[in-house]
Amino acid sequence: MTDLSAAGAGDRARAVSVKDVAAEAGVSVGTVSNVLNRPEKVSTSTREHVLAVIDELGFVRNDAARQLRAGSNHAVGMVVLDVRNPFFTDVARGVEERLAEHRRPLILGNSGQDADREQMLLDLFEEQRVSGLLVSPVGGVLPRLRRLRDRGTAVVAVDRRLDSSEFSSVAVDDRLGGRIAVQHLLDQGRRRIAFVGGPRGLTQVEHRYEGAAAAVADTDGATLRLVVTGIMDAAAGRHGAEDLLADDGDRPDAIFAANDLVALGVLQALTLAGVSVPDEIAIIGYDDIDFAASAAIPLSSVRQPREQLGAVAADLLMATIEDPTRAAEDVVLEPSLVVRRSTQP
Amino acid sequence: MTDLSAAGAGDRARAVSVKDVAAEAGVSVGTVSNVLNRPEKVSTSTREHVLAVIDELGFVRNDAARQLRAGSNHAVGMVVLDVRNPFFTDVARGVEERLAEHRRPLILGNSGQDADREQMLLDLFEEQRVSGLLVSPVGGVLPRLRRLRDRGTAVVAVDRRLDSSEFSSVAVDDRLGGRIAVQHLLDQGRRRIAFVGGPRGLTQVEHRYEGAAAAVADTDGATLRLVVTGIMDAAAGRHGAEDLLADDGDRPDAIFAANDLVALGVLQALTLAGVSVPDEIAIIGYDDIDFAASAAIPLSSVRQPREQLGAVAADLLMATIEDPTRAAEDVVLEPSLVVRRSTQP
DNA sequence: CTGAAAGCGCTTACAG
DNA sequence: CTGAAAGCGCTTACAG
């Protein structure tokens, strides 16, 4: 139609810019920008004409340029502990859905519970000047988060609170969750409890352990044994269970796995070793991921309201983006017990 | 140390820019940029001094500005069919790991098998001028992908090939996979096969069905029945199985579920209805996600080499980014049969 | 309602 | 080896 299109397919044409649109439409670039950003400022006829040209030329706004002027990216970054764990992807989906209502894209990064990868992702998000950041911190990132905040990025901690009252957080009460899980095992008459989870230093896990210990302390004759794992996946559960079985002087009669992936691994190892679940050893997991219900022996678990966790996190983040001076707030959600066959014949 | 730092914590300070670094270090902004991008062009002493200042001031490069000059983002975008399906997150992890070797971040978007959301994500990635894009297309996005390519974005299709030889792709042979699955059921003596999957139009699923139909056509007395679902999750499987059971005139003796999530749902519904698996009805799934092995009845499945799928996709993408004129290439990987208890007593 | 101009924070030839 | 200057593609007051 115009000479511009002669550059056409084949050779990697320079992208169409506002300038091209303006030239073709016979208006100034400012007007093109206004059509895009404040359409009410432009007369109907100009607007429609410009829109038609945009469509004809296949113009797509360059977000980098826009951001550079606007000062910040409208995307939100999220650092997730483990993308392969359905619990986290469910939380992320809760976030994503809420953010979609504000037309803000979510950029997901996976720390894999590794402090170095977490750093790299924070670098990336800082370079990108994301407007908001959701983290489940692994390493000591407080100074880092402060710098991000000072630079104008809203920060909200997900799934644990920070050791500081400067940032909002949403978390589930893990001490209560740990207590609920073990209290249930004790109520079933179990006394020799083993806790399988890790790694050491991961707050969520430590709290679950503390809750477990509190429940055990309240019960005569009950004992709690700790098996520390690395990243909590099924393999960690298998190894943990094998360790417990190898040492057969004092076999537990119940295992509390710090998440469902570990519980599933424990279940596999016990089944393979011919140990009957729950008769000889009961198992309870944590998170209540969808797969818990369809496990070989349906798994009892402590349910975390994961979609709600995501939604509340997104809400807090949006509120902080809109008002950076907003007071920090720690939201604590409650876990609940889900009983299935792995703890109850 | 300098007056700049007086702006300090508390008020949202303007971000430290190259200009600030240059001023503090007593060099020009060009030199600061060179320290960052071509350190070999700068003398050791200047470099070290500038680096020290960068550290002291907490300078972090603004990626938007950098991108604007460079013309494209070094990040890679990926549109995934369903983040809640472990198959896709495993593929994504394969991609992520390979990309990490090139220090390129992966931005994940979730289409949820919805053509509109797919469009939105492509808009986003186009605005961001990502250097590469990995898609498992849902809608008719060919013109869109062409435009992205003409704009300089490398595009590779994942998990299916495009109806065009212009773009590279990596996929697993789904016809073969469908055939393998159903041939296995036939070999076990099953004859009344039901296929549960969907939605209609999703290439992967159609191919699996075609493979299934081919196997059935080769066998005397075998029949194949189709139950179409929407998004393939456990709920879809439950509903599909309920439909099959309701119509008890002609109950199948085997079900081929087009993915493991659906298979797990089918298994739940059958168990709930008191149907014995595999005696009365055998079940085989597709993907061989980790959870297949730990299901209530361990699930037979067709294994797709998912990490390899991700790695090959990342390699093709990197090659295309480095050489945009590179000829398109369709890589086809082979699926394999994994037999467990759900098809074999 | 529309246009001309400045400027966001970088990188990149080009001189020196 | 270093500096001065142009320019990437937008948005945003400011005039008119």
Side-chain angles (χ1 to χ4, degrees), chain A residues 27-326:
Chain A
V27 298
S28 75
V29 295
T31 299
V32 175
S33 178
N34 281 334
V35 168
L36 258 20
N37 300 301
R38 320 133 120 193
E40 73 284 359
K41 300 252 168 208
V42 182
S43 74
T44 315
S45 63
T46 323
R47 192 194 321 143
E48 280 170 0
H49 180 221
V50 170
L51 252 15
V53 171
I54 284 177
D55 199 53
E56 177 196 335
L57 261 36
F59 167 73
V60 174
R61 196 209 270 102
N62 181 328
D63 200 52
R66 179 196 209 179
Q67 249 173 251
L68 181 55
R69 274 264 34 179
S72 104
N73 194 328
H74 67 300
V76 164
M78 177 168 185
V79 183
V80 144
L81 278 187
D82 181 6
V83 263
R84 300 185 71 185
N85 185 147
F87 171 73
F88 295 106
T89 49
D90 286 346
V91 173
R93 235 181 100 266
V95 172
E96 192 188 28
E97 267 171 18
R98 202 58 145 243
L99 250 30
E101 294 167 16
H102 301 262
R103 303 229 59 203
R104 284 188 187 264
L106 210 219
I107 306 180
L108 276 185
N110 179 212
S111 75
Q113 289 182 35
D114 178 294
D116 289 339
R117 287 177 66 187
E118 178 177 54
Q119 281 289 353
M120 279 191 45
L121 288 167
L122 293 179
D123 284 344
L124 172 71
F125 288 137
E126 192 165 359
E127 288 181 1
Q128 301 208 144
R129 305 288 194 264
V130 292
S131 49
L133 184 67
L134 260 14
V135 236
S136 308
V138 184
V141 289
L142 207 46
R144 201 50 195 287
L145 298 182
R146 287 202 180 104
R147 194 168 80 188
L148 275 153
R149 184 216 32 218
D150 291 342
R151 186 163 265 147
T153 294
V155 177
V156 170
V158 179
D159 198 34
R160 61 166 281 203
R161 73 166 66 188
L162 285 160
D163 320 315
S164 146
S165 53
E166 305 156 63
F167 300 97
S168 290
S169 71
V170 212
V172 179
D173 188 338
D174 282 311
R175 285 196 188 84
L176 178 59
R179 181 184 264 280
I180 284 174
V182 170
Q183 191 57 54
H184 169 62
L185 297 174
L186 294 168
D187 289 347
Q188 299 288 314
R190 311 288 169 159
R191 286 297 176 270
R192 298 186 308 285
I193 319 284
F195 177 99
V196 182
R200 205 149 232 148
L202 192 65
T203 316
Q204 292 88 323
V205 174
E206 306 222 311
H207 286 181
R208 288 168 204 176
Y209 181 75
E210 287 168 25
V216 166
D218 288 350
T219 307
D220 282 344
T223 59
L224 181 62
R225 189 163 151 192
L226 173 61
V227 179
V228 178
T229 67
I231 305 297
M232 294 197 289
D233 54 18
R238 283 193 297 270
H239 299 146
E242 281 157 11
D243 288 354
L244 282 169
L245 293 179
D247 170 15
D248 55 6
D250 176 34
R251 211 174 247 201
D253 57 12
I255 296 176
F256 171 30
N259 79 191
D260 285 343
L261 259 26
V262 170
L264 255 14
V266 167
L267 179 57
Q268 281 172 13
L270 295 192
T271 307
L272 205 69
V275 176
S276 119
V277 175
D279 302 330
E280 294 176 63
I281 302 183
I283 305 175
I284 188 166
Y286 205 100
D287 288 346
D288 195 35
I289 59 175
D290 289 341
F291 298 101
S294 54
I297 312 279
L299 207 63
S300 295
S301 193
V302 176
R303 168 159 255 277
Q304 306 206 67
R306 41 208 144 103
E307 245 120 66
Q308 197 191 347
L309 195 64
V312 173
D315 288 341
L316 280 174
L317 194 72
M318 293 304 308
T320 311
I321 289 174
E322 272 149 33
D323 174 16
T325 66
R326 191 175 181 285

Side-chain angles (χ1 to χ4, degrees), chain B:
Chain B
M1 209 148 260
T2 92
D3 257 306
L4 277 174
S5 58
D11 48 322
R12 273 170 76 197
R14 210 184 94 272
V16 178
S17 75
V18 274
K19 215 186 290 181
D20 302 319
V21 174
E24 172 70 9
V27 299
S28 74
V29 295
T31 298
V32 175
S33 177
N34 281 335
V35 168
L36 256 22
N37 300 301
R38 319 133 120 195
E40 71 285 358
K41 301 252 166 206
V42 182
S43 73
T44 315
S45 63
T46 321
R47 193 192 323 142
E48 279 169 1
H49 178 221
V50 170
L51 251 15
V53 171
I54 283 176
D55 200 53
E56 176 196 336
L57 261 37
F59 166 73
V60 174
R61 200 210 267 102
N62 181 329
D63 199 51
R66 179 197 209 178
Q67 249 173 249
L68 182 55
R69 274 264 34 178
S72 102
N73 194 327
H74 67 300
V76 164
M78 177 167 185
V79 183
V80 146
L81 278 187
D82 181 6
V83 263
R84 301 184 71 185
N85 184 148
F87 172 72
F88 295 107
T89 48
D90 285 347
V91 173
R93 235 179 101 266
V95 171
E96 192 188 27
E97 267 171 18
R98 203 58 146 242
L99 250 30
E101 294 167 16
H102 301 262
R103 303 229 58 203
R104 284 189 187 264
L106 211 218
I107 305 179
L108 275 185
N110 180 213
S111 75
Q113 289 182 37
D114 178 294
D116 288 340
R117 286 176 66 186
E118 178 177 54
Q119 281 289 353
M120 279 190 46
L121 288 167
L122 292 179
D123 284 346
L124 172 70
F125 289 138
E126 193 165 358
E127 288 182 0
Q128 301 209 144
R129 305 290 193 264
V130 292
S131 49
L133 183 67
L134 260 13
V135 236
S136 308
V138 184
V141 290
L142 207 47
R144 200 52 194 288
L145 298 181
R146 287 202 180 104
R147 194 168 80 189
L148 276 153
R149 182 214 33 214
D150 291 342
R151 186 163 266 147
T153 295
V155 176
V156 171
V158 179
D159 198 34
R160 61 165 281 203
R161 73 167 66 188
L162 285 160
D163 320 315
S164 146
S165 53
E166 305 157 61
F167 299 98
S168 290
S169 70
V170 212
V172 179
D173 188 338
D174 283 311
R175 285 196 189 83
L176 178 58
R179 181 184 263 281
I180 285 174
V182 170
Q183 191 57 54
H184 169 63
L185 297 174
L186 294 168
D187 289 348
Q188 300 288 315
R190 311 286 168 159
R191 286 297 176 269
R192 297 186 310 284
I193 318 286
F195 176 99
V196 182
R200 205 148 229 147
L202 192 64
T203 316
Q204 292 87 324
V205 174
E206 306 222 312
H207 286 181
R208 288 167 205 177
Y209 181 75
E210 287 168 26
V216 165
D218 289 350
T219 307
D220 282 345
T223 58
L224 181 63
R225 189 161 151 195
L226 173 61
V227 179
V228 178
T229 67
I231 304 298
M232 296 198 289
D233 54 18
R238 283 192 296 268
H239 299 146
E242 282 157 12
D243 288 353
L244 281 169
L245 294 178
D247 169 15
D248 56 6
D250 176 34
R251 211 174 246 203
D253 57 12
I255 295 176
F256 171 29
N259 80 193
D260 286 343
L261 259 26
V262 170
L264 256 14
V266 167
L267 179 57
Q268 282 172 12
L270 295 191
T271 306
L272 205 68
V275 175
S276 116
V277 175
D279 301 331
E280 294 175 63
I281 302 183
I283 305 176
I284 188 166
Y286 206 100
D287 289 345
D288 194 35
I289 59 176
D290 290 341
F291 299 101
S294 54
I297 313 278
L299 207 63
S300 295
S301 193
V302 175
R303 167 158 256 278
Q304 306 206 68
R306 41 210 145 103
E307 245 120 67
Q308 196 190 347
L309 196 64
V312 173
D315 288 341
L316 280 174
L317 194 73
M318 293 304 308
T320 311
I321 289 174
E322 273 149 32
D323 174 16
T325 67
R326 190 174 182 286
E329 181 181 346
D330 291 303
V331 178
V332 179
L333 305 176
E334 289 220 345
S336 57
L337 180 68
V338 179
V339 178
R340 298 199 184 88
R341 247 177 46 223
S342 70
T343 57
Q344 192 170 262

